[in-house]
Amino acid sequence: MTDDAGDAVRDLPAGPSTPGSSSMRLYADRPDRRARQLAADVGLLAWTVLWVLVARVVHGAVLVLADPGRAVEGLGRSIADSMDSAAGAAGDVPVVGDELADPLAALGRAGSSVAGAGQGSQDAVATLATVLAVVLVVLPVGWMLLRWLPWRLRWAREARAADRLMADRRLDAPDLELLAARALATAPLPALAGLPTGTGAGWRAGDPAAVRALAGLELARLGLRLLPETTVG
């Protein structure tokens, strides 16, 4: 290797050389695969928004059940306030004031108890409304996330690994052979049959064109593109 070529090799970046390969990819290069990924992401968002709206409607509908409790609380407080005022006025009556005030005060305490019962029923309804709203969001959205998240993470990990294998392609590194071997092992037979005749024999012989054809097949499965070869000057 000449000094100029050696300097060029040393100047090559150590990390992945494809855009987005140094970090986790979110979307594929190929428009058809990227469109499916975007559709899945938008579908998840729409699904989440739908169930949040449903939960809000249900929450509001259940809270309507608290109206009788509010009416009972208001009636109890009104009775308590009236009886307390009446007991205070009766207590000012000479001689018999205490005897008159005690029954009125008891009625006031009973009114306070009724108001407390009304408040308790409202609290119970509010708790029920909140629990139902949370369940209506967590269950369907969680179910969808369990389907969407592993699929997206699996693709992101595989795409990042493919980027790393392609990172040193300018050094004529043999990493593309790993992609080619995976394609031979896992690609559907119709896809393999669509390759140029002699691709398998060429791969065994180390033919770069055959290796790139098989590697491109594996990358196409992920929706990625095999960039053109570059040479070191």
Side-chain angles (χ1 to χ4, degrees):
M1 182 180 290
T2 64
D3 292 339
D4 291 340
D7 292 340
V9 169
R10 286 192 294 271
D11 291 339
L12 287 173
S17 58
T18 54
S21 58
S22 60
S23 59
M24 185 172 289
R25 280 178 180 261
L26 294 179
Y27 297 102
D29 296 329
R30 295 170 61 92
D32 52 345
R33 184 63 179 267
R34 185 166 61 245
R36 289 197 297 270
Q37 291 172 329
L38 285 170
D41 295 349
V42 172
L44 175 66
L45 179 61
W47 181 262
T48 302
V49 171
L50 170 65
W51 283 103
V52 168
L53 293 176
V54 170
R56 290 187 61 181
V57 171
V58 171
H59 185 269
V62 173
L63 285 180
V64 173
L65 300 177
D67 289 345
R70 279 190 288 270
V72 170
E73 180 187 10
L75 177 62
R77 293 191 184 283
S78 176
I79 292 174
D81 292 342
S82 299
M83 293 301 101
D84 288 343
S85 298
D92 294 335
V93 176
V95 182
V96 294
D98 292 339
E99 287 78 2
L100 293 175
D102 289 343
L104 296 174
L107 289 175
R109 289 190 295 271
S112 297
S113 298
V114 171
Q119 181 62 51
S121 68
Q122 293 177 69
D123 294 340
V125 170
T127 300
L128 176 62
T130 301
V131 169
L132 287 177
V134 171
V135 169
L136 283 173
V137 173
V138 170
L139 288 184
V141 174
W143 172 80
M144 184 62 72
L145 275 175
L146 289 177
R147 298 168 61 87
W148 173 87
L149 190 59
W151 171 68
R152 293 293 274 124
L153 289 179
R154 182 171 59 253
W155 180 89
R157 286 195 299 267
E158 291 186 352
R160 186 176 184 182
D163 281 339
R164 292 177 62 184
L165 291 174
M166 293 188 296
D168 295 331
R169 67 191 186 281
R170 289 178 295 179
L171 299 178
D172 197 22
D175 291 342
L176 286 183
E177 294 185 4
L178 297 177
L179 291 172
R182 180 174 173 84
L184 281 173
T186 62
L189 286 177
L192 292 174
L195 294 174
T197 303
T199 298
W203 173 76
R204 288 195 303 272
D207 180 14
V211 171
R212 287 181 60 83
L214 288 167
L217 187 62
E218 174 62 16
L219 292 174
R221 180 185 67 84
L222 297 172
L224 305 180
R225 291 193 178 97
L226 181 60
L227 300 182
E229 289 182 296
T230 58
T231 58
V232 178

